[in-house]
C-alpha cells in the first residue's frame, strides 16, 4: 500500500525475536482462551516466584498509599538520563558491587535494556564519517542473544567468532572464547565495540572472569568499548550458579535490567558507562522516549539503599532457578539417555538450557516446528548467531529451552521433545 523506507523494511520484515515474542504472546493467549495444554519453553519470561510476587504486591501498595510519591512517579517526566535521585542511589550501590567509583553521571536509565542495546549497538556500528570506515559490533562468542540479531539499522553491522567447544562430561560441554580468532578479527580495524551477555542467553554460559579481563584489555587497547549485558547476572538478579562478579572499569559499558528479577512489565534498563557515553544515551533517549518510565526507579529505590535487592537475588531468585535448572537437566538425561545423541551446555546461569543434537535427521527448525504442532514452544538455534560468517554445525543442530515454567509444563515439554527426537 505504501512505500516504506529501508529503516522500516530492515526492522519490520520478521525477526527471530519477533517470532519468539509472537509465540510467547499468541501461545499463552490461545492456551488461556481455548483451555488447551501447552508447554511454553520458548520465551525468556521470568518465572512468577510466589514469595517475590508477595514482595512486589507489598511494594505496589506502599507506593500507592503515598500520595506525594505517587504524584511524582506518575505525574512527572524524569530527565532523559533518568531520575537523578535514583541514579545517585544506584551509583552508591553499584560502586560497591562493581568495585568502581561511580557517580550519577556514569548512569543512564532506559525503557528496558532491549532499547539500551538498540541505542548502543547502533552507536558503535555503521558508517563513521570521520574516518570513512564501516564499523561492526564483534560478538566474541556465539551463540548469543537472539534480541541483538535484528537491532542494527544498517545491514552487515555484526560479526562474530565461532567458539571452542570443550567437552566437560558424557552429555555436557561448554563454549570457550577463541582469543586467537578474536585478536585476528580486531586487527582488521573495523570493530566499533565488543559485546557479550553474561550469563549468556541462550547457552547459560558464564564467561570466566579471567577471559573478561582479557577481553577488556583487548577492547581498551583498541580504544573500543566492551559492552557486557548482565540481564541475568551479577549483582541482580544474579541467576548465576558460578560466580558472575565483574568490576566496572573505564571503557566498559555494563547493562543491567530489572526484568529478570520478575519485573519485566516495569521496562527498566540501566547503563553504567563513562559519563560521555551515559550522556549520549540520555540525548538519544530524549529523542526516542522523551524520558524513561519512573515506576521501576521508585519500585527498587529502597531495596538498593538497604541492600535487599541483593538479598532477594541471592536468597530467593537464584536458588529458585538453580532448582529448576537441576530438575530440567535430570529430566532431560532421564528421557533422552541412550535414545538420542545429545549434548547440553553446562548450566552456569540464566533461564535456559542449550541442547545440541549432533547428527540428528531433523535440524533445529524442523524440531521447532514439530514441537510447536504439539503445543511445545522452544526456540530454534539458528537465530542465535548474529553476524556469523562461517559454517558452524551447532547453528542448525541446537535448540534453546526455557526451564522457568512450572514443573508440569517442563515435564510435558521434555517428554514430547524426547518422543519427537526418538521417532
Ligand atoms: C540477554 C538479554 N539481554 C537483554 C534483554 C532485554 O530485556 P529487557 O528489555 O526486559 O531489560 C533480554 C531479555 O530477555 C536478554 O535475555
Amino acid at each position: 500500500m505504501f512505500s516504506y523506507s529501508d529503516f522500516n523494511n530492515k526492522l519490520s520484515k520478521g525477526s527471530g525475536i519477533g517470532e519468539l515474542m509472537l509465540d510467547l504472546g499468541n501461545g499463552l493467549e490461545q492456551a488461556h482462551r481455548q483451555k488447551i495444554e501447552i508447554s511454553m519453553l520458548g520465551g525468556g519470561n521470568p518465572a512468577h516466584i510466589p514469595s517475590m510476587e508477595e514482595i512486589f504486591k507489598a511494594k505496589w501498595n506502599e507506593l500507592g498509599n503515598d500520595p506525594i510519591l505517587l504524584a511524582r512517579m506518575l505525574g512527572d517526566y524524569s530527565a532523559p538520563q533518568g531520575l537523578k535521585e535514583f541514579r545517585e542511589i544506584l551509583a552508591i550501590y553499584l560502586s560497591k558491587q562493581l568495585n568502581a567509583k561511580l557517580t550519577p553521571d556514569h548512569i543512564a536509565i532506559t525503557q528496558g535494556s532491549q532499547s539500551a542495546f538498540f541505542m548502543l549497538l547502533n552507536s558503535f556500528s555503521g558508517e563513521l564519517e570521520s574516518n570513512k570506515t564501516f564499523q561492526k559490533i564483534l560478538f566474541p562468542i556465539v551463540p548469543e542473544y537472539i534480541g541483538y540479531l535484528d537491532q542494527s539499522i544498517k545491514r552487515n553491522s555484526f560479526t562474530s567468532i565461532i567458539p571452542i567447544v570443550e567437552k566437560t562430561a558424557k552429555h555436557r560441554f561448554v563454549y570457550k572464547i577463541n582469543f586467537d580468532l578474536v585478536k585476528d578479527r580486531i586487527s582488521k580495524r573495523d570493530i566499533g565495540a565488543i559485546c557479550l551477555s553474561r550469563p549468556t542467553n541462550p547457552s547459560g554460559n558464564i564467561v570466566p572472569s579471567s577471559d573478561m579481563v582479557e577481553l577488556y584489555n583487548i577492547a581498551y587497547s583498541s580504544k573500543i568499548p566492551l559492552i557486557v549485558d548482565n540481564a541475568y547476572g551479577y549483582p541482580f538478579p544474579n541467576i548465576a550458579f558460578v560466580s558472575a562478579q565483574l568490576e566496572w572499569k573505564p571503557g566498559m559499558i555494563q547493562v543491567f535490567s530489572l526484568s529478570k528479577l520478575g519485573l519485566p512489565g516495569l521496562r527498566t534498563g540501566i547503563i553504567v558507562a563513562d559519563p560521555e557515553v551515559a550522556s549520549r544515551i540520555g540525548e538519544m533517549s530524549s529523542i526516542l522516549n522523551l524520558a524513561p518510565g519512573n515506576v521501576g526507579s521508585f519500585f527498587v529505590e529502597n531495596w538498593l539503599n538497604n541492600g535487599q535487592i541483593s538479598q532477594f537475588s541471592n536468597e530467593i531468585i537464584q536458588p529458585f532457578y538453580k532448582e529448576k535448572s537441576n530438575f530440567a537437566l535430570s529430566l532431560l538425561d532421564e528421557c533422552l539417555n541412550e535414545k538420542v545423541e545429545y549434548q547440553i551446555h553446562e548450566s552456569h546461569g540464566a533461564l535456559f538450557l542449550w541442547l545440541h543434537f549432533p547428527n540428528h535427521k531433523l535440524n533445529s527448525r524442523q524440531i521447532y516446528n514439530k514441537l510447536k504442532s504439539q503445543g511445545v514452544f522452544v526456540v530454534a538455534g539458528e537465530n542465535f548467531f548474529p553476524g556469523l560468517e562461517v559454517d558452524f554445525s551447532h547453528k542448525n543442530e541446537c535448540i534453546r529451552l526455557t526451564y522457568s515454567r512450572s514443573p508440569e509444563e517442563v515435564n510435558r515439554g521434555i517428554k514430547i521433545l524426547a518422543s519427537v527426537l526418538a521417532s
Side-chain angles (χ1 to χ4, degrees):
M1 185 179 171
F2 302 120
S3 300
Y4 290 97
S5 66
D6 291 351
F7 169 79
N8 181 283
N9 281 326
K10 170 81 176 58
L11 268 64
S12 69
K13 281 265 178 89
S15 61
I17 191 76
E19 178 179 80
L20 184 155
M21 293 310 286
L22 263 182
D23 276 356
L24 184 64
N26 290 348
L28 289 177
E29 210 182 302
Q30 195 190 353
H32 280 307
R33 226 179 309 124
Q34 300 177 352
K35 300 208 179 348
I36 50 171
E37 238 189 326
I38 61 157
S39 291
M40 181 46 72
L41 311 185
N45 211 85
H48 290 249
I49 305 176
S51 48
M52 286 309 299
E53 296 211 312
E54 282 304 312
I55 292 166
F56 299 152
K57 202 162 87 187
K59 175 59 74 181
W60 190 255
N61 289 336
E62 182 193 319
L63 296 177
N65 288 328
D66 184 334
I68 296 173
L69 203 144
L70 198 63
R72 281 184 62 208
M73 183 172 77
L74 301 182
D76 293 337
Y77 286 115
S78 75
Q81 218 172 302
L83 291 164
K84 180 90 183 279
E85 170 191 307
F86 181 52
R87 289 185 289 124
E88 277 165 0
I89 291 169
L90 265 172
I92 294 169
Y93 172 82
L94 288 175
S95 291
K96 266 191 246 140
Q97 306 296 330
L98 310 182
N99 193 25
K101 286 203 174 70
L102 301 171
T103 68
D105 292 343
H106 287 86
I107 295 169
I109 310 302
T110 58
Q111 277 300 99
S113 66
Q114 186 71 12
S115 76
F117 279 97
F118 182 77
M119 291 187 270
L120 288 169
L121 298 177
N122 284 299
S123 293
F124 296 104
S125 66
E127 282 105 6
L128 219 80
E129 192 57 39
S130 55
N131 62 1
K132 304 272 179 275
T133 56
F134 188 95
Q135 297 195 135
K136 296 186 183 222
I137 303 292
L138 175 69
F139 298 106
I141 183 166
V142 279
E144 188 47 279
Y145 176 42
I146 190 172
Y148 303 146
L149 188 72
D150 298 287
Q151 279 210 325
S152 68
I153 291 172
K154 297 285 175 183
R155 284 171 215 284
N156 302 320
S157 294
F158 297 155
T159 184
S160 54
I161 305 285
I162 208 166
I164 296 164
V165 181
E166 195 177 284
K167 214 159 159 33
T168 52
K170 189 170 174 215
H171 290 294
R172 299 289 185 272
F173 70 100
V174 71
Y175 290 128
K176 296 240 150 120
I177 296 181
N178 187 330
F179 277 102
D180 289 342
L181 293 182
V182 169
K183 286 179 196 153
D184 192 48
R185 190 63 192 77
I186 292 269
S187 71
K188 299 202 169 100
R189 301 193 157 274
D190 64 344
I191 299 301
I194 300 177
C195 177
L196 77 164
S197 59
R198 185 173 183 265
T200 307
N201 172 0
S203 61
N205 196 3
I206 294 186
V207 169
S209 32
S210 54
D211 284 8
M212 294 306 293
V213 171
E214 189 162 356
L215 273 183
Y216 173 75
N217 290 338
I218 292 172
Y220 195 77
S221 60
S222 311
K223 298 197 171 56
I224 57 173
L226 171 63
I227 305 174
V228 187
D229 181 349
N230 301 297
Y232 301 89
Y234 182 84
F236 56 80
N238 206 20
I239 308 173
F241 317 135
V242 300
S243 171
Q245 243 167 312
L246 186 66
E247 295 188 348
W248 181 86
K249 293 187 198 140
M252 247 185 178
I253 303 175
Q254 292 210 35
V255 184
F256 305 87
S257 168
L258 299 187
S259 295
K260 312 302 172 179
L261 285 164
L263 298 167
L266 293 180
R267 308 306 305 126
T268 305
I270 299 157
I271 293 178
V272 175
D274 293 292
E276 177 189 295
V277 177
S279 152
R280 282 177 179 251
I281 292 293
E283 295 285 342
M284 279 190 273
S285 275
S286 68
I287 294 166
L288 290 170
N289 303 310
L290 295 185
N294 290 334
V295 182
S297 306
F298 282 99
F299 217 83
V300 300
E301 199 177 81
N302 276 343
W303 298 341
L304 290 163
N305 260 333
N306 62 19
Q308 270 185 313
I309 199 161
S310 296
Q311 193 194 334
F312 297 152
S313 300
N314 299 337
E315 293 175 16
I316 301 177
I317 298 169
Q318 188 198 91
F320 175 90
Y321 285 109
K322 176 71 183 144
E323 196 187 318
K324 295 233 166 232
S325 165
N326 287 346
F327 171 74
L329 280 169
S330 53
L331 198 62
L332 279 163
D333 283 332
E334 191 187 306
C335 296
L336 299 179
N337 215 349
E338 312 312 337
K339 293 189 206 102
V340 188
E341 197 180 336
Y342 74 99
Q343 297 291 329
I344 307 175
H345 193 286
E346 291 288 350
S347 174
H348 294 160
L351 319 178
F352 315 103
L353 293 179
W354 178 251
L355 314 182
H356 180 212
F357 304 110
N359 308 314
H360 199 279
K361 62 176 192 263
L362 300 175
N363 65 28
S364 60
R365 172 69 32 187
Q366 291 164 328
I367 297 171
Y368 162 84
N369 282 327
K370 281 197 178 254
L371 290 173
K372 190 171 168 177
S373 70
Q374 297 192 50
V376 178
F377 295 84
V378 297
V379 188
E382 77 230 18
N383 294 309
F384 295 93
F385 295 83
L388 190 66
E389 287 148 14
V390 294
D391 279 344
F392 182 33
S393 61
H394 286 220
K395 192 171 172 183
N396 296 307
E397 294 177 345
C398 293
I399 61 166
R400 187 193 82 176
L401 180 152
T402 307
Y403 55 69
S404 65
R405 308 291 296 181
S406 71
E408 297 73 32
E409 242 181 291
V410 173
N411 187 34
R412 179 179 172 274
I414 288 178
K415 296 237 157 93
I416 293 176
L417 170 70
S419 78
V420 162
L421 291 168
S423 63

